[in-house]
Amino acid sequence: MIRSSDRDIRWLPGFNWITLCFFLFLYLPLIILVIFSFNATRSATVWEGFSLQWYAKAFSNDDIQSAAKNSLIIAAVSTLFSTVFATMAAIALGRNREIKHKTAFGGLLLLPLMIPEIVTAVATLTFFTAINLSWGIGNIIIAHTVFCIPFAYLPIQARLRGLDASLETAARDLYSDRKTTLRLITLPLLAPGIFSGAMLAFIISLDDFIITMMVAEAGSTTLPIYIYGLVRTGVTPEVNAVSTVLLGISVIAVLMSQWFAKKQ
Amino acid sequence: MQDAITINGLTKSYPGTPPVRALKGSDLSIRDNEFFTLLGPSGCGKTTLLRLIAGFEVPTDGTLKLFGENISKLPPEKRPVNTVFQHYSLFPHMNVLENVAYGLLRQGKPDARRTAQEMLDLVHLGEFAKRRPSQLSGGQQQRVALARALAPHPRVLLLDEPLSALDLKLRQSMRAELKRLQRETGITFVFVTHDQEEALSMSDRIAVMSQGEIQQVAKPAEIYEYPATRFVAEFIGDANFFEATPRASGDSAATYHVSDSIRFAGPAMPAKANGGKVTVMFRPEKARIVPGRADGGLGGTISDIEYLGNQTEYRVTLDDGLSVAVRSENRQDGSALADVGSRATVEVDPEAIRVLVA
Ligand SMILES: Nc1ncnc2c1ncn2[C@@H]1O[C@H](COP(=O)(O)OP(=O)(O)OP(=O)(O)O)[C@@H](O)[C@H]1O
Ligand SMILES: [Mg+2]
């Protein structure tokens, strides 16, 4: 028997199965984690009925509450700062004709994406110690802001690149000064890119472990670090519940980021 | 009356290695209330000149005056000049009415929306006010762009090849529309095109540009009939050119010797020529073709015949090898005056001869 796929010259044997394996390895553990966060008993391997007790437990746990609060504050503030910086950088590099070596600057801005995070983490810690900075979660906010800028920058820059500069010229022609043009033309048209960048920055900050681990001082524990601490004493359904919530927030943020990026 | 725009020695070099000299010290006066056209091939600096007038570029040298006032240093938003962009550049996040009202609102004009609506009615788009620009056809977007630029009632309207993105039919109807708008608003239009037909049919005056220099400024008929340079003559319409040595034959006439057998009787030689070599030119439709041999004309053989509909173009190889093109109106049945390969004589009146120095 000749299957139609045998005739298709673009079809390569084995590729489908390997791809399927990838999906299994990636998503099966996640699915199991989510399912067992709703388990009725403590077991992380045997399903014994549906319950929300682990969520209730997690939400009423003071330590988790304070870690979640820290995480949200850090993510919100560093998202705000990094998005503002990224927007300014994108407009400066994308619109100012006087700046030379734009490609080099653009590359430098994105380089942190390729630097091993542990290196950035160690460097940041050393730097903070050297200048004797000890602002509690302020330290983490500074580190996250810097670390998130390239993530926020990417979609903003992409959006700006697709934006016809003659629209801004037209606005100037129609009696708007620089500020008015920025407010009424550039920023509104850039908004989807800015939101998309902000969402990315938010999840990057929310999920970050290595840098936070390095620079966090006592009392400024975030959710990922707290979860790590719990796991060392064994995986409990409570951990699954907190992880599921974190996963949910991330997925929503990514979807929103994609949605904004595609927006006209 | 005061000129709308006066430029003196206006120069623009774009940075680069070597710098691009897009405009090389131009002088130009554009009169108030005229339909003025900048015509020239791609890259000759038309857009650059327009952008300098609008204030999007800073001149390297020279002065730019608007109704006598030096505006070289003013930013674009302070100049009472508006632009219709080649690709319209309508604000995609605003509806049509908001687009048209934009300039008026920034100027703080009362009744901005009502004026904008009137402007839209003037370009026959009154009922499209609530649509987004992306929901309009190219021709409609074009008219919104026009309305948006006209709404603040600028003293000068700049149009950069506004018709180039439209199809032929639409382009022709927009020509009439533009002329009408110019008359009705009384605003000075500076129109950029590289389409000679567009320039000839619409303009009060035309400036022909080449490589950053203005070659000639004149009325359309004068540009066509009395081109100042060979470039102008070649760029607008078709022409026959000959290198010739002038021989004076009176105060108002001269003969131009191209070769031993070819000489043209023409107007007096221009003072600039200084007795040296000149270029003699005539348009194909200004010459006549006579089948067979005739006295006084240039004898030759017809080498090619091209039927053009209203006219027929004959290419005649003269006896000493030079080739000329002659166009004549077609006869009632469209048949040619002579056949390829037959003898013919080309006659050119002295009044049809133009003498170019540059
Ligand atoms: N921003 C710029 N930087 C460098 N060179 C430029 C710039 N803008 C234009 N030029 C150059 O200046 C010259 C004149 O350009 P300009 O756009 O004024 O031509 P144009 O007459 O409008 O041509 P077209 O009919 O193709 O629009 C060209 O050689 C062009 O390459
Ligand atoms: Mg141009």
Side-chain angles (χ1 to χ4, degrees), chain B residues 207-228:
Chain B
V208 182
M209 295 179 67
S210 163
Q211 300 188 355
E213 280 167 347
I214 293 171
Q215 300 268 325
Q216 185 175 10
V217 183
K219 292 195 164 72
E222 195 181 334
I223 293 265
Y224 184 80
E225 302 292 346
Y226 297 94

Side-chain angles (χ1 to χ4, degrees), chain B residues 14 20 22 41-48 161 194:
Chain B
Y14 291 106
V20 184
S42 189
C44 70
K46 307 179 295 283
T47 299
T48 302
E161 307 202 25
H194 57 243

Side-chain angles (χ1 to χ4, degrees), chain A residues 73-119:
Chain A
I73 291 174
I74 292 166
V77 177
S78 41
T79 295
L80 182 71
F81 284 137
S82 60
T83 309
V84 169
F85 279 129
T87 307
M88 288 165 71
I91 292 177
L93 287 175
R95 287 295 186 255
N96 192 337
R97 285 196 279 176
E98 317 267 281
I99 297 181
K100 295 204 174 97
H101 312 298
K102 280 189 196 139
T103 350
F105 279 119
L108 281 178
L109 208 73
L110 294 176
L111 197 62
L113 295 177
M114 274 156 282
I115 296 177
E117 200 185 332
I118 185 72
V119 177

